[in-house]
Amino acid sequence: MRFVDEARILVKAGKGGRGCMSFRREKFVPRGGPDGGDGGNGGSVYLRADSRLLSLYDFRLKRVYEAQNGQPGRGGQCDGKKGTDLVIGLPVGTLVFAEDDHGGGNLVADLSEPENLVLVARGGRGGKGNEHFKSSTMRAPKFSQPGEPGEEVTLRLELKILADAGLIGLPNAGKSTFISHVSAARPKIADYPFTTLVPNLGVMIDEVDPDKRLIIADIPGLIEGAHSGQGLGHKFLKHVERTRFLVHILSIEDVNDDDPWAGFELINEELRKFDPTLAERRQVEVINKIDLISEERLQKLMARAARDNRRIYFISAKENIGLEPLVEELWHLRDDLGRHEPLVHFQTAEELAAEEFPEIEVEYTKE
């Protein structure tokens, strides 16, 4: 599936049905009273987080979503049918902003958990039939109430990947090769920088419990200046925010024996400048492509890491060297760390159903 992380859509709730202007007319009842039924309420528009979806690509193809209008009332005190609600499925991790006339937007939903449900456009209230307007001074009202328009809003959708582990590092560190060896993901792999231009998702499945999964996001390579947008840094860094821990991969080709951990520090500084809390997130440090160096140099680097009190995993993703203890550490962190909390409160379906429509001003329209 093509990965698309931003889209803009227009959602329209259904219009309320018109109230009916009718009088009871039966044999032997020539002057029956008003019996016009109410119009049905228009359907509302809801958003629901769907764990089966991974991209916003479909919302680039279809941009307008409309709920059903309410049906008009009929004679004999028959109310119109309520319009069917529209529930739009979005990938878990989608942020939803309601745009204003000036192009700005307010956050209305953070769909950070599967089955999160939020109301974004309320259907219009159905109009009252003329039976509601009879009184001692008006026994035959010849008017009814029109239906209320449904709410209409332009939404900006922004998908921030929700993953257990986020792979970060300099370009060509071997992140895509790693994710292809530990999961079923098959990203594009080549021996040059910026092979990965969009995030890739991989899923690791526990051999003992197939329902237990660990989601890995392969974030495109970061460079110096990423916090200020260099190398599409903002587009990539925003996905790091939604991961529970980070796997920081450094290629042995970027390791200088005089200052071997400089590559780690460079990216950590970019994280710190973008969002100070990111630099404090739990990290697993990995040096990849150890098949390219001698055993003697490898032992020296391991000894240096021990002296510097850094727990570093030395691997070769390409040759499948050292992956097993690293994968075990990822599972351990996945079980150890708690889940993200949603940014905003979500109403349950029961809470939404219990809400009443706000009172609207009666508008009289003669038939």
Side-chain angles (χ1 to χ4, degrees):
M1 177 180 292
R2 181 179 176 184
F3 187 91
V4 175
D5 64 356
E6 291 185 359
R8 183 175 281 99
I9 62 173
L10 175 66
V11 297
K12 299 179 179 180
K15 179 182 177 181
R18 186 180 190 80
C20 179
M21 197 281 292
S22 173
F23 295 92
R24 183 182 176 193
R25 293 292 184 265
E26 300 175 15
K27 190 175 182 180
F28 307 120
V29 190
R31 294 182 180 274
D35 67 351
D38 299 342
N41 295 330
S44 297
V45 181
Y46 297 86
L47 304 179
R48 173 179 286 137
D50 189 338
S51 58
R52 297 171 298 179
L53 302 177
L54 298 176
S55 167
L56 296 175
Y57 180 64
D58 289 346
F59 298 95
R60 292 283 187 92
L61 304 178
K62 181 180 178 181
R63 297 177 180 270
V64 179
Y65 295 82
E66 300 180 72
Q68 190 178 47
N69 293 333
Q71 298 297 308
R74 293 175 294 169
Q77 300 181 344
C78 292
D79 294 340
K81 184 179 178 182
K82 178 185 181 299
T84 303
D85 292 335
L86 175 63
V87 180
I88 303 173
L90 292 171
V92 176
T94 301
L95 296 178
V96 183
F97 298 87
E99 293 195 337
D100 55 33
D101 295 336
H102 305 290
N106 297 318
L107 180 67
V108 296
D110 175 9
L111 303 180
S112 60
E113 296 288 341
E115 300 306 313
N116 280 155
L117 183 70
V118 63
L119 172 68
V120 290
R122 190 185 299 274
R125 186 173 185 173
K128 301 293 187 182
N130 66 335
E131 67 165 334
H132 288 277
F133 305 112
K134 63 184 179 182
S135 67
S136 58
T137 58
M138 184 183 296
R139 298 195 174 188
K142 295 183 178 180
F143 51 81
S144 61
Q145 188 181 39
E148 181 186 34
E151 294 179 341
E152 182 176 319
V153 61
T154 298
L155 300 176
R156 188 176 81 251
L157 311 177
E158 181 179 312
L159 175 58
K160 290 187 177 181
I161 297 174
L162 280 175
D164 297 296
L167 301 185
I168 62 172
L170 294 167
N172 207 33
K175 300 185 299 298
S176 296
T177 302
F178 172 76
I179 199 173
S180 70
H181 277 72
V182 300
S183 75
R186 291 296 176 264
K188 180 181 179 182
I189 300 172
D191 191 23
Y192 54 83
F194 298 109
T195 305
T196 303
L197 296 178
V198 295
N200 293 304
L201 287 181
V203 180
M204 292 169 50
I205 301 177
D206 190 289
E207 295 180 355
V208 178
D209 182 4
D211 292 330
K212 184 178 178 181
R213 302 185 175 190
L214 190 153
I215 301 175
I216 306 174
D218 175 14
I219 309 299
L222 300 172
I223 63 174
E224 188 172 5
H227 73 280
S228 60
Q230 296 294 322
L232 298 179
H234 283 172
K235 284 184 172 290
F236 298 161
L237 281 167
K238 70 181 181 181
H239 295 296
V240 181
E241 295 178 304
R242 306 300 289 271
T243 57
R244 297 165 68 188
F245 60 91
L246 303 175
V247 181
H248 196 157
I249 299 182
L250 181 66
S251 170
I252 194 65
E253 299 166 307
D254 296 317
V255 174
N256 184 312
D257 290 346
D258 294 332
D259 189 5
W261 325 131
F264 290 132
E265 300 306 328
L266 188 152
I267 297 301
N268 287 338
E269 183 63 19
E270 294 302 320
L271 296 178
R272 191 174 297 109
K273 290 178 178 177
F274 181 76
D275 182 348
T277 61
L278 289 182
E280 299 174 2
R281 191 156 299 174
R282 290 280 292 274
Q283 280 194 21
V284 178
E285 293 184 333
V286 180
I287 290 183
N288 190 21
K289 304 184 183 181
I290 61 172
D291 56 298
L292 300 180
I293 63 172
S294 65
E295 182 66 23
E296 181 182 3
R297 187 186 176 200
L298 176 61
Q299 292 301 323
K300 288 182 179 179
L301 286 172
M302 288 181 171
R304 175 68 180 271
R307 288 198 307 272
D308 293 345
N309 198 29
R310 299 185 84 120
R311 186 179 182 183
I312 298 177
Y313 291 84
F314 292 85
I315 70 167
S316 170
K318 180 180 178 181
E319 301 298 332
N320 202 24
I321 300 173
L323 293 183
E324 186 172 341
L326 174 55
V327 169
E328 289 179 359
E329 175 66 9
L330 301 189
W331 280 114
H332 171 73
L333 285 175
R334 182 255 187 207
D335 295 336
D336 187 48
L337 297 176
R339 294 189 176 275
H340 292 289
E341 294 294 330
L343 297 181
V344 295
H345 169 69
F346 287 96
Q347 294 172 290
T348 65
E350 290 76 14
E351 290 174 327
L352 293 170
E355 284 191 352
E356 296 182 356
F357 281 84
E359 291 300 323
I360 61 173
E361 184 178 352
V362 176
E363 177 185 345
Y364 299 102
T365 304
K366 292 187 177 181
E367 295 289 335

